[in-house]
Structure formats: C-alpha cells, structure tokens
Amino acid sequence: MGTAINLDTNFVNDARTHAKVESRSAPKQIEHWAIIGRIAEENPELNYAQIKNILLGLQESKDGKTEVYKRGSL
C-alpha cells in the first residue's frame, strides 16, 4: 500500500525524465533513488557503481542466475 507525499515539482519532473530512460514510472524512480540513498548513507565507503553492482548481484541471485564457484589450480 502506498503513501501520498508532497514533493518538489522540479524533483518530480527530474524523476520523470530519469524514469523514461530507465523504463520505470516516476514513483518507482523516486523509490530507486531512496533505496540508493539509504544504502549510501549506511555504507559511505561505497560509491554508486559499487552499490549498483551489489544490488544487481543480489537480484541475479534471487533470479537463480548464479553459478557454483569452482576453485581452479594455480
């Protein structure tokens, strides 16, 4: 269930622009930014690319797109 909140019009317009590029709705874009922001605040040592790759890896794992690691010999 969603919650209605008031946001700055310019911010929402920026979200709409980014949402179109990312093929998501403006509310989902704002939610995405909120998730990234929360992770960044909790993990200041991580940059955006690292956060994005961690989230991608977690989603790939949920989607079953993982492989068993086989230790190679050197």
Side-chain angles (χ1 to χ4, degrees), residues 31-69:
E31 184 178 326
H32 171 73
W33 283 343
I35 291 167
I36 297 294
R38 183 176 62 203
I39 294 168
E41 282 189 352
E42 293 172 354
N43 301 277
E45 71 283 359
L46 299 177
N47 63 42
Y48 174 74
Q50 291 169 318
I51 293 169
K52 185 176 175 181
N53 285 329
I54 289 167
L55 292 174
L56 179 59
L58 290 170
Q59 188 60 53
E60 286 176 342
S61 179
K62 287 180 185 175
D63 292 347
K65 296 180 178 179
T66 57
E67 296 177 16
V68 175
Y69 173 75

mmCIF file of all heavy atoms in Angstrom, residues 31-69:
data_model
loop_
_atom_site.group_PDB
_atom_site.id
_atom_site.type_symbol
_atom_site.label_atom_id
_atom_site.label_comp_id
_atom_site.label_asym_id
_atom_site.label_seq_id
_atom_site.Cartn_x
_atom_site.Cartn_y
_atom_site.Cartn_z
ATOM 1 N N GLU A 31 11.534 5.884 -5.698
ATOM 2 C CA GLU A 31 11.803 4.771 -4.768
ATOM 3 C C GLU A 31 13.216 4.243 -4.967
ATOM 4 O O GLU A 31 13.933 3.979 -3.994
ATOM 5 C CB GLU A 31 10.780 3.669 -4.996
ATOM 6 C CG GLU A 31 10.889 2.513 -4.036
ATOM 7 C CD GLU A 31 9.811 1.464 -4.288
ATOM 8 O OE1 GLU A 31 8.689 1.809 -4.680
ATOM 9 O OE2 GLU A 31 10.126 0.276 -4.097
ATOM 10 N N HIS A 32 13.640 4.103 -6.215
ATOM 11 C CA HIS A 32 15.002 3.644 -6.533
ATOM 12 C C HIS A 32 16.034 4.593 -5.926
ATOM 13 O O HIS A 32 16.990 4.160 -5.276
ATOM 14 C CB HIS A 32 15.167 3.552 -8.049
ATOM 15 C CG HIS A 32 16.552 3.293 -8.510
ATOM 16 N ND1 HIS A 32 17.176 2.070 -8.372
ATOM 17 C CD2 HIS A 32 17.464 4.113 -9.091
ATOM 18 C CE1 HIS A 32 18.406 2.144 -8.863
ATOM 19 N NE2 HIS A 32 18.601 3.368 -9.301
ATOM 20 N N TRP A 33 15.841 5.896 -6.149
ATOM 21 C CA TRP A 33 16.767 6.873 -5.580
ATOM 22 C C TRP A 33 16.794 6.791 -4.052
ATOM 23 O O TRP A 33 17.847 6.925 -3.438
ATOM 24 C CB TRP A 33 16.376 8.280 -6.016
ATOM 25 C CG TRP A 33 16.756 8.628 -7.426
ATOM 26 C CD1 TRP A 33 17.665 7.995 -8.226
ATOM 27 C CD2 TRP A 33 16.244 9.700 -8.194
ATOM 28 N NE1 TRP A 33 17.744 8.608 -9.442
ATOM 29 C CE2 TRP A 33 16.879 9.672 -9.458
ATOM 30 C CE3 TRP A 33 15.302 10.691 -7.952
ATOM 31 C CZ2 TRP A 33 16.607 10.597 -10.456
ATOM 32 C CZ3 TRP A 33 15.030 11.614 -8.960
ATOM 33 C CH2 TRP A 33 15.681 11.562 -10.189
ATOM 34 N N ALA A 34 15.650 6.564 -3.439
ATOM 35 C CA ALA A 34 15.592 6.458 -1.981
ATOM 36 C C ALA A 34 16.369 5.243 -1.489
ATOM 37 O O ALA A 34 17.100 5.321 -0.490
ATOM 38 C CB ALA A 34 14.138 6.394 -1.513
ATOM 39 N N ILE A 35 16.243 4.131 -2.191
ATOM 40 C CA ILE A 35 16.976 2.913 -1.815
ATOM 41 C C ILE A 35 18.475 3.144 -1.934
ATOM 42 O O ILE A 35 19.243 2.826 -1.021
ATOM 43 C CB ILE A 35 16.524 1.720 -2.676
ATOM 44 C CG1 ILE A 35 15.094 1.324 -2.307
ATOM 45 C CG2 ILE A 35 17.473 0.536 -2.528
ATOM 46 C CD1 ILE A 35 14.428 0.377 -3.289
ATOM 47 N N ILE A 36 18.901 3.730 -3.066
ATOM 48 C CA ILE A 36 20.324 4.012 -3.275
ATOM 49 C C ILE A 36 20.828 4.961 -2.198
ATOM 50 O O ILE A 36 21.907 4.762 -1.618
ATOM 51 C CB ILE A 36 20.567 4.619 -4.680
ATOM 52 C CG1 ILE A 36 20.176 3.641 -5.781
ATOM 53 C CG2 ILE A 36 22.017 5.082 -4.832
ATOM 54 C CD1 ILE A 36 21.008 2.400 -5.871
ATOM 55 N N GLY A 37 20.059 5.996 -1.906
ATOM 56 C CA GLY A 37 20.451 6.972 -0.884
ATOM 57 C C GLY A 37 20.592 6.348 0.493
ATOM 58 O O GLY A 37 21.537 6.649 1.222
ATOM 59 N N ARG A 38 19.649 5.483 0.849
ATOM 60 C CA ARG A 38 19.728 4.827 2.157
ATOM 61 C C ARG A 38 20.961 3.942 2.251
ATOM 62 O O ARG A 38 21.690 3.970 3.239
ATOM 63 C CB ARG A 38 18.461 4.006 2.422
ATOM 64 C CG ARG A 38 18.479 3.366 3.811
ATOM 65 C CD ARG A 38 17.209 2.634 4.123
ATOM 66 N NE ARG A 38 17.029 1.550 3.168
ATOM 67 C CZ ARG A 38 15.860 1.005 2.887
ATOM 68 N NH1 ARG A 38 14.770 1.427 3.451
ATOM 69 N NH2 ARG A 38 15.786 0.010 2.029
ATOM 70 N N ILE A 39 21.219 3.171 1.193
ATOM 71 C CA ILE A 39 22.403 2.309 1.186
ATOM 72 C C ILE A 39 23.671 3.151 1.269
ATOM 73 O O ILE A 39 24.609 2.814 1.996
ATOM 74 C CB ILE A 39 22.413 1.406 -0.063
ATOM 75 C CG1 ILE A 39 21.255 0.407 -0.003
ATOM 76 C CG2 ILE A 39 23.750 0.676 -0.198
ATOM 77 C CD1 ILE A 39 21.009 -0.343 -1.309
ATOM 78 N N ALA A 40 23.712 4.266 0.528
ATOM 79 C CA ALA A 40 24.886 5.138 0.535
ATOM 80 C C ALA A 40 25.129 5.734 1.921
ATOM 81 O O ALA A 40 26.270 5.823 2.372
ATOM 82 C CB ALA A 40 24.723 6.246 -0.496
ATOM 83 N N GLU A 41 24.068 6.132 2.603
ATOM 84 C CA GLU A 41 24.220 6.675 3.960
ATOM 85 C C GLU A 41 24.724 5.616 4.934
ATOM 86 O O GLU A 41 25.530 5.910 5.812
ATOM 87 C CB GLU A 41 22.892 7.244 4.465
ATOM 88 C CG GLU A 41 22.570 8.597 3.904
ATOM 89 C CD GLU A 41 21.371 9.241 4.582
ATOM 90 O OE1 GLU A 41 20.672 8.582 5.392
ATOM 91 O OE2 GLU A 41 21.126 10.422 4.282
ATOM 92 N N GLU A 42 24.259 4.386 4.774
ATOM 93 C CA GLU A 42 24.658 3.313 5.676
ATOM 94 C C GLU A 42 26.040 2.757 5.344
ATOM 95 O O GLU A 42 26.653 2.085 6.175
ATOM 96 C CB GLU A 42 23.623 2.186 5.633
ATOM 97 C CG GLU A 42 22.269 2.590 6.218
ATOM 98 C CD GLU A 42 21.194 1.536 6.006
ATOM 99 O OE1 GLU A 42 21.437 0.527 5.311
ATOM 100 O OE2 GLU A 42 20.082 1.745 6.542
ATOM 101 N N ASN A 43 26.516 3.011 4.125
ATOM 102 C CA ASN A 43 27.800 2.472 3.659
ATOM 103 C C ASN A 43 28.587 3.552 2.920
ATOM 104 O O ASN A 43 28.767 3.492 1.708
ATOM 105 C CB ASN A 43 27.553 1.292 2.714
ATOM 106 C CG ASN A 43 26.780 0.181 3.382
ATOM 107 O OD1 ASN A 43 27.337 -0.646 4.078
ATOM 108 N ND2 ASN A 43 25.468 0.176 3.173
ATOM 109 N N PRO A 44 29.073 4.566 3.643
ATOM 110 C CA PRO A 44 29.723 5.700 2.985
ATOM 111 C C PRO A 44 30.996 5.344 2.217
ATOM 112 O O PRO A 44 31.438 6.122 1.380
ATOM 113 C CB PRO A 44 30.028 6.667 4.134
ATOM 114 C CG PRO A 44 30.008 5.835 5.363
ATOM 115 C CD PRO A 44 29.046 4.715 5.093
ATOM 116 N N GLU A 45 31.538 4.174 2.451
ATOM 117 C CA GLU A 45 32.748 3.760 1.736
ATOM 118 C C GLU A 45 32.456 3.246 0.326
ATOM 119 O O GLU A 45 33.359 3.060 -0.478
ATOM 120 C CB GLU A 45 33.513 2.686 2.531
ATOM 121 C CG GLU A 45 32.847 1.320 2.589
ATOM 122 C CD GLU A 45 31.664 1.190 3.554
ATOM 123 O OE1 GLU A 45 31.310 2.165 4.245
ATOM 124 O OE2 GLU A 45 31.089 0.086 3.610
ATOM 125 N N LEU A 46 31.191 3.015 0.019
ATOM 126 C CA LEU A 46 30.809 2.506 -1.299
ATOM 127 C C LEU A 46 30.429 3.646 -2.231
ATOM 128 O O LEU A 46 29.739 4.581 -1.832
ATOM 129 C CB LEU A 46 29.617 1.551 -1.181
ATOM 130 C CG LEU A 46 29.806 0.288 -0.350
ATOM 131 C CD1 LEU A 46 28.507 -0.493 -0.280
ATOM 132 C CD2 LEU A 46 30.921 -0.558 -0.911
ATOM 133 N N ASN A 47 30.858 3.546 -3.493
ATOM 134 C CA ASN A 47 30.414 4.525 -4.487
ATOM 135 C C ASN A 47 29.175 3.988 -5.203
ATOM 136 O O ASN A 47 28.757 2.844 -4.990
ATOM 137 C CB ASN A 47 31.547 4.882 -5.461
ATOM 138 C CG ASN A 47 32.010 3.701 -6.291
ATOM 139 O OD1 ASN A 47 31.209 2.907 -6.780
ATOM 140 N ND2 ASN A 47 33.316 3.585 -6.460
ATOM 141 N N TYR A 48 28.603 4.820 -6.069
ATOM 142 C CA TYR A 48 27.362 4.439 -6.744
ATOM 143 C C TYR A 48 27.511 3.156 -7.557
ATOM 144 O O TYR A 48 26.646 2.275 -7.498
ATOM 145 C CB TYR A 48 26.866 5.576 -7.648
ATOM 146 C CG TYR A 48 25.676 5.169 -8.472
ATOM 147 C CD1 TYR A 48 24.420 5.026 -7.887
ATOM 148 C CD2 TYR A 48 25.797 4.890 -9.826
ATOM 149 C CE1 TYR A 48 23.316 4.632 -8.625
ATOM 150 C CE2 TYR A 48 24.689 4.496 -10.581
ATOM 151 C CZ TYR A 48 23.469 4.367 -9.973
ATOM 152 O OH TYR A 48 22.382 3.964 -10.700
ATOM 153 N N ALA A 49 28.611 3.032 -8.301
ATOM 154 C CA ALA A 49 28.817 1.839 -9.135
ATOM 155 C C ALA A 49 28.868 0.573 -8.272
ATOM 156 O O ALA A 49 28.311 -0.461 -8.652
ATOM 157 C CB ALA A 49 30.089 1.976 -9.969
ATOM 158 N N GLN A 50 29.511 0.659 -7.123
ATOM 159 C CA GLN A 50 29.583 -0.497 -6.230
ATOM 160 C C GLN A 50 28.193 -0.863 -5.696
ATOM 161 O O GLN A 50 27.832 -2.042 -5.658
ATOM 162 C CB GLN A 50 30.542 -0.213 -5.074
ATOM 163 C CG GLN A 50 31.995 -0.119 -5.511
ATOM 164 C CD GLN A 50 32.890 0.429 -4.418
ATOM 165 O OE1 GLN A 50 32.536 1.375 -3.720
ATOM 166 N NE2 GLN A 50 34.073 -0.170 -4.282
ATOM 167 N N ILE A 51 27.438 0.144 -5.305
ATOM 168 C CA ILE A 51 26.088 -0.108 -4.800
ATOM 169 C C ILE A 51 25.235 -0.745 -5.893
ATOM 170 O O ILE A 51 24.537 -1.736 -5.665
ATOM 171 C CB ILE A 51 25.443 1.194 -4.291
ATOM 172 C CG1 ILE A 51 26.178 1.684 -3.040
ATOM 173 C CG2 ILE A 51 23.950 1.001 -4.003
ATOM 174 C CD1 ILE A 51 25.799 3.083 -2.600
ATOM 175 N N LYS A 52 25.303 -0.195 -7.090
ATOM 176 C CA LYS A 52 24.520 -0.723 -8.209
ATOM 177 C C LYS A 52 24.902 -2.169 -8.499
ATOM 178 O O LYS A 52 24.033 -3.021 -8.709
ATOM 179 C CB LYS A 52 24.748 0.146 -9.441
ATOM 180 C CG LYS A 52 23.895 -0.225 -10.617
ATOM 181 C CD LYS A 52 24.115 0.752 -11.768
ATOM 182 C CE LYS A 52 23.351 0.328 -12.996
ATOM 183 N NZ LYS A 52 23.577 1.242 -14.125
ATOM 184 N N ASN A 53 26.202 -2.486 -8.494
ATOM 185 C CA ASN A 53 26.645 -3.859 -8.764
ATOM 186 C C ASN A 53 26.230 -4.823 -7.657
ATOM 187 O O ASN A 53 25.881 -5.982 -7.938
ATOM 188 C CB ASN A 53 28.149 -3.897 -8.988
ATOM 189 C CG ASN A 53 28.533 -3.348 -10.340
ATOM 190 O OD1 ASN A 53 27.779 -3.456 -11.304
ATOM 191 N ND2 ASN A 53 29.702 -2.741 -10.430
ATOM 192 N N ILE A 54 26.225 -4.370 -6.419
ATOM 193 C CA ILE A 54 25.762 -5.211 -5.312
ATOM 194 C C ILE A 54 24.280 -5.513 -5.481
ATOM 195 O O ILE A 54 23.849 -6.666 -5.357
ATOM 196 C CB ILE A 54 26.038 -4.543 -3.948
ATOM 197 C CG1 ILE A 54 27.548 -4.546 -3.662
ATOM 198 C CG2 ILE A 54 25.259 -5.232 -2.825
ATOM 199 C CD1 ILE A 54 27.957 -3.656 -2.503
ATOM 200 N N LEU A 55 23.491 -4.489 -5.785
ATOM 201 C CA LEU A 55 22.058 -4.693 -5.988
ATOM 202 C C LEU A 55 21.792 -5.611 -7.178
ATOM 203 O O LEU A 55 20.906 -6.481 -7.122
ATOM 204 C CB LEU A 55 21.345 -3.353 -6.177
ATOM 205 C CG LEU A 55 21.302 -2.447 -4.948
ATOM 206 C CD1 LEU A 55 20.697 -1.096 -5.303
ATOM 207 C CD2 LEU A 55 20.539 -3.108 -3.815
ATOM 208 N N LEU A 56 22.564 -5.454 -8.247
ATOM 209 C CA LEU A 56 22.429 -6.324 -9.412
ATOM 210 C C LEU A 56 22.756 -7.770 -9.040
ATOM 211 O O LEU A 56 22.034 -8.698 -9.405
ATOM 212 C CB LEU A 56 23.330 -5.850 -10.549
ATOM 213 C CG LEU A 56 23.297 -6.681 -11.826
ATOM 214 C CD1 LEU A 56 21.895 -6.746 -12.416
ATOM 215 C CD2 LEU A 56 24.280 -6.114 -12.837
ATOM 216 N N GLY A 57 23.832 -7.971 -8.297
ATOM 217 C CA GLY A 57 24.209 -9.319 -7.868
ATOM 218 C C GLY A 57 23.146 -9.966 -6.992
ATOM 219 O O GLY A 57 22.840 -11.152 -7.141
ATOM 220 N N LEU A 58 22.576 -9.181 -6.085
ATOM 221 C CA LEU A 58 21.514 -9.711 -5.228
ATOM 222 C C LEU A 58 20.294 -10.125 -6.050
ATOM 223 O O LEU A 58 19.705 -11.173 -5.815
ATOM 224 C CB LEU A 58 21.117 -8.675 -4.174
ATOM 225 C CG LEU A 58 22.148 -8.406 -3.081
ATOM 226 C CD1 LEU A 58 21.736 -7.192 -2.247
ATOM 227 C CD2 LEU A 58 22.333 -9.630 -2.204
ATOM 228 N N GLN A 59 19.942 -9.292 -7.037
ATOM 229 C CA GLN A 59 18.786 -9.620 -7.875
ATOM 230 C C GLN A 59 19.070 -10.834 -8.747
ATOM 231 O O GLN A 59 18.209 -11.695 -8.931
ATOM 232 C CB GLN A 59 18.389 -8.422 -8.748
ATOM 233 C CG GLN A 59 17.088 -8.647 -9.489
ATOM 234 C CD GLN A 59 15.914 -8.887 -8.546
ATOM 235 O OE1 GLN A 59 15.665 -8.099 -7.643
ATOM 236 N NE2 GLN A 59 15.196 -9.976 -8.749
ATOM 237 N N GLU A 60 20.275 -10.921 -9.307
ATOM 238 C CA GLU A 60 20.635 -12.094 -10.107
ATOM 239 C C GLU A 60 20.572 -13.365 -9.268
ATOM 240 O O GLU A 60 20.117 -14.409 -9.750
ATOM 241 C CB GLU A 60 22.031 -11.913 -10.705
ATOM 242 C CG GLU A 60 22.071 -10.931 -11.844
ATOM 243 C CD GLU A 60 23.472 -10.670 -12.381
ATOM 244 O OE1 GLU A 60 24.456 -10.967 -11.685
ATOM 245 O OE2 GLU A 60 23.557 -10.170 -13.508
ATOM 246 N N SER A 61 20.993 -13.270 -8.012
ATOM 247 C CA SER A 61 20.914 -14.422 -7.118
ATOM 248 C C SER A 61 19.457 -14.822 -6.881
ATOM 249 O O SER A 61 19.121 -16.006 -6.938
ATOM 250 C CB SER A 61 21.597 -14.094 -5.788
ATOM 251 O OG SER A 61 21.507 -15.178 -4.904
ATOM 252 N N LYS A 62 18.590 -13.842 -6.644
ATOM 253 C CA LYS A 62 17.161 -14.126 -6.460
ATOM 254 C C LYS A 62 16.553 -14.760 -7.710
ATOM 255 O O LYS A 62 15.661 -15.594 -7.621
ATOM 256 C CB LYS A 62 16.395 -12.847 -6.132
ATOM 257 C CG LYS A 62 16.620 -12.326 -4.751
ATOM 258 C CD LYS A 62 15.816 -11.051 -4.537
ATOM 259 C CE LYS A 62 16.111 -10.430 -3.191
ATOM 260 N NZ LYS A 62 15.416 -9.136 -3.021
ATOM 261 N N ASP A 63 17.054 -14.346 -8.883
ATOM 262 C CA ASP A 63 16.539 -14.858 -10.155
ATOM 263 C C ASP A 63 17.177 -16.187 -10.552
ATOM 264 O O ASP A 63 16.896 -16.715 -11.628
ATOM 265 C CB ASP A 63 16.773 -13.834 -11.277
ATOM 266 C CG ASP A 63 15.936 -12.579 -11.117
ATOM 267 O OD1 ASP A 63 14.993 -12.590 -10.299
ATOM 268 O OD2 ASP A 63 16.229 -11.582 -11.803
ATOM 269 N N GLY A 64 18.050 -16.725 -9.700
ATOM 270 C CA GLY A 64 18.684 -18.009 -9.982
ATOM 271 C C GLY A 64 19.791 -17.936 -11.023
ATOM 272 O O GLY A 64 20.168 -18.955 -11.594
ATOM 273 N N LYS A 65 20.321 -16.771 -11.256
ATOM 274 C CA LYS A 65 21.371 -16.591 -12.255
ATOM 275 C C LYS A 65 22.746 -16.632 -11.589
ATOM 276 O O LYS A 65 23.543 -15.714 -11.711
ATOM 277 C CB LYS A 65 21.187 -15.262 -12.989
ATOM 278 C CG LYS A 65 19.916 -15.190 -13.798
ATOM 279 C CD LYS A 65 19.792 -13.860 -14.505
ATOM 280 C CE LYS A 65 18.532 -13.820 -15.343
ATOM 281 N NZ LYS A 65 18.378 -12.533 -16.013
ATOM 282 N N THR A 66 23.001 -17.711 -10.891
ATOM 283 C CA THR A 66 24.283 -17.871 -10.217
ATOM 284 C C THR A 66 24.943 -19.155 -10.682
ATOM 285 O O THR A 66 24.295 -20.066 -11.201
ATOM 286 C CB THR A 66 24.106 -17.925 -8.682
ATOM 287 O OG1 THR A 66 23.215 -18.997 -8.359
ATOM 288 C CG2 THR A 66 23.541 -16.617 -8.150
ATOM 289 N N GLU A 67 26.236 -19.220 -10.493
ATOM 290 C CA GLU A 67 26.994 -20.409 -10.839
ATOM 291 C C GLU A 67 27.801 -20.848 -9.612
ATOM 292 O O GLU A 67 28.226 -20.015 -8.819
ATOM 293 C CB GLU A 67 27.971 -20.127 -11.986
ATOM 294 C CG GLU A 67 27.293 -19.750 -13.283
ATOM 295 C CD GLU A 67 28.299 -19.419 -14.380
ATOM 296 O OE1 GLU A 67 29.487 -19.765 -14.234
ATOM 297 O OE2 GLU A 67 27.883 -18.799 -15.362
ATOM 298 N N VAL A 68 28.013 -22.134 -9.505
ATOM 299 C CA VAL A 68 28.826 -22.654 -8.419
ATOM 300 C C VAL A 68 30.285 -22.291 -8.709
ATOM 301 O O VAL A 68 30.786 -22.477 -9.825
ATOM 302 C CB VAL A 68 28.673 -24.185 -8.287
ATOM 303 C CG1 VAL A 68 29.607 -24.726 -7.234
ATOM 304 C CG2 VAL A 68 27.223 -24.526 -7.959
ATOM 305 N N TYR A 69 30.939 -21.725 -7.716
ATOM 306 C CA TYR A 69 32.351 -21.373 -7.868
ATOM 307 C C TYR A 69 33.197 -22.633 -7.795
ATOM 308 O O TYR A 69 33.064 -23.414 -6.865
ATOM 309 C CB TYR A 69 32.771 -20.381 -6.791
ATOM 310 C CG TYR A 69 34.250 -20.101 -6.792
ATOM 311 C CD1 TYR A 69 34.810 -19.297 -7.776
ATOM 312 C CD2 TYR A 69 35.090 -20.644 -5.827
ATOM 313 C CE1 TYR A 69 36.167 -19.028 -7.803
ATOM 314 C CE2 TYR A 69 36.450 -20.397 -5.848
ATOM 315 C CZ TYR A 69 36.994 -19.592 -6.835
ATOM 316 O OH TYR A 69 38.333 -19.333 -6.870
#
